[in-house]
Amino acid sequence: MRPMPYTRQALHESRRFGVRPVPPLRPLAWLAMGWRDLWRCPLPSLLQGLGLALIGSLILTLARDRFWLLAGAFSGFLLVAPILATGFYALSHALELGRRPDLGTVAQAWWPRNGQLVKFGLLLALAGTGWVLVSAALITAYAPGHISTPADFLRRVVLAPEGYLFEVWLALGALLAAPVFASTVVAVPLLMEQRMRVLAAVFASWRVVMEHPAPIALWAFLIMALTLLGMATFMLGLVLVLPLLGHASWHAYRDLVRRPQGEH
C-alpha cells in the first residue's frame, strides 16, 4: 500500500535532517551539558522548574486519596513533559547563540512562529488524558477493592495473589509511552527551531531512535529514574530535575540531529 501524499511529503521533509552517530554512554554527557546550562541561567530555569513542580504538587493534592487516579495522572504528566520543556530548550538555544537568556526568552518560546508546536502539544495532551482515563478505568474496574492510597495500590494491584491487573496496567502504559517517547526525543526542539510539519518531526525522531537504540534506551532510563527521584522528594526535587532534563534534552537534539547543509 502506497503512503498518502501528506505522509510522503512528511517523510521527504524529515529526510532533510541527518542523524549523527553517538556512543552508547553519550546521554551522560547530555546531562553534564544540561547541568552547565542550568547554572548559566539559574533564575529562569529554576522558576520554570518550580512552576512544573507546583503542577505536580497540585495533581498530588487533588488526587491524594484517589491513588487509582494519581497513578495514571503522574504517568500522563510524563507524556506531556516534552512540550512543557519548551522554555528550557529556548534558554539553551539562546546560550548557544551567545545571548543572555531571561524570563522573556521563556515567554517568547510559548508564542511559536506557527501552529505546529501548538498542534503537537495538543496531541500530547490528548495522549496523556487518554492514558489517565484508561488507567483509572482499568484499576477501578478490576482491582479487588477500593484503591485510595499507595499502600492499597501495592497490596491490591502490584502484589495481588490472583490475576494480572498490574501486568496488564504496565503493558498498556508501555504500549502508549514507548511510541510517544520515540516521537518526542527530538521532535519538539525541531518544531521550535524549524518550520516543518508535526509528522515530519515525528518521523525524524523515530529515525533517531531506530539508529541509536542503545543510547536512547539509556536516555529513557535516566529520564525516568531522575523524575521518580524528584517525585520521591514530595516534588521538591523536580525543581532541579526538570530544568536539568530540559536543558539536557536540547543538547541531545543538537548531538543527534544534523541540520541541512547551509543551516547553522
Side-chain angles (χ1 to χ4, degrees):
M1 184 175 179
R2 297 180 64 186
M4 299 297 288
Y6 180 85
T7 305
R8 288 202 304 270
Q9 292 172 4
L11 277 170
H12 177 74
E13 190 175 358
S14 72
R15 288 172 182 150
R16 293 173 51 228
F17 302 90
V19 179
R20 292 192 181 96
V22 297
L25 298 181
R26 187 61 177 171
L28 299 177
W30 300 338
L31 286 178
M33 290 185 282
W35 181 260
R36 180 198 62 195
D37 281 4
L38 194 167
W39 296 113
R40 290 176 68 193
C41 52
L43 181 61
S45 295
L46 294 175
L47 282 178
Q48 282 186 95
L50 177 61
L52 294 175
L54 288 175
I55 294 174
S57 298
L58 180 61
I59 294 173
L60 178 62
T61 301
L62 294 176
R64 180 177 53 189
D65 298 322
R66 303 176 182 86
F67 196 80
W68 52 269
L69 176 62
L70 187 62
F74 271 135
S75 46
F77 178 71
L78 292 177
L79 293 180
V80 300
I83 202 72
L84 297 178
T86 300
F88 302 120
Y89 306 150
L91 292 173
S92 284
H93 189 201
L95 289 171
E96 182 181 280
L97 296 174
R99 299 172 184 165
R100 289 188 175 184
D102 53 22
L103 289 175
T105 307
V106 176
Q108 190 175 8
W110 288 101
W111 293 94
R113 293 173 294 175
N114 56 50
Q116 296 302 305
L117 193 61
V118 175
K119 183 189 297 185
F120 195 44
L122 292 174
L123 289 172
L124 290 178
L126 183 63
T129 302
W131 166 244
V132 172
L133 296 175
V134 168
S135 172
L138 186 68
I139 293 173
T140 54
Y142 295 102
H146 184 64
I147 306 295
S148 58
T149 67
D152 292 336
F153 186 80
L154 182 64
R155 184 172 61 255
R156 296 173 180 167
V157 177
V158 180
L159 301 178
E162 297 179 357
Y164 299 94
L165 177 58
F166 183 59
E167 289 80 358
V168 171
W169 184 79
L170 279 180
L172 285 176
L175 191 63
L176 176 63
V180 169
F181 175 74
S183 300
T184 58
V185 171
V186 298
V188 178
L190 261 176
L191 290 172
M192 191 187 81
E193 192 181 29
Q194 305 285 336
R195 287 188 177 274
M196 62 190 306
R197 296 175 177 86
V198 169
L199 189 57
V202 169
F203 284 153
S205 191
W206 271 93
R207 198 165 75 252
V208 164
V209 173
M210 288 187 291
E211 293 191 23
H212 294 302
I216 296 303
L218 175 59
W219 184 226
F221 170 78
L222 290 171
I223 291 173
M224 183 61 67
L226 288 171
T227 302
L228 289 176
L229 181 62
M231 289 179 174
T233 58
F234 299 99
M235 307 299 157
L236 291 175
L238 292 181
V239 176
L240 189 63
V241 166
L242 294 178
L244 170 62
L245 292 175
H247 289 300
S249 294
W250 174 263
H251 290 287
Y253 158 65
R254 274 290 186 250
D255 230 9
L256 291 164
V257 176
R258 181 184 294 112
R259 286 175 288 180
Q261 190 173 9
E263 291 189 15
H264 300 285

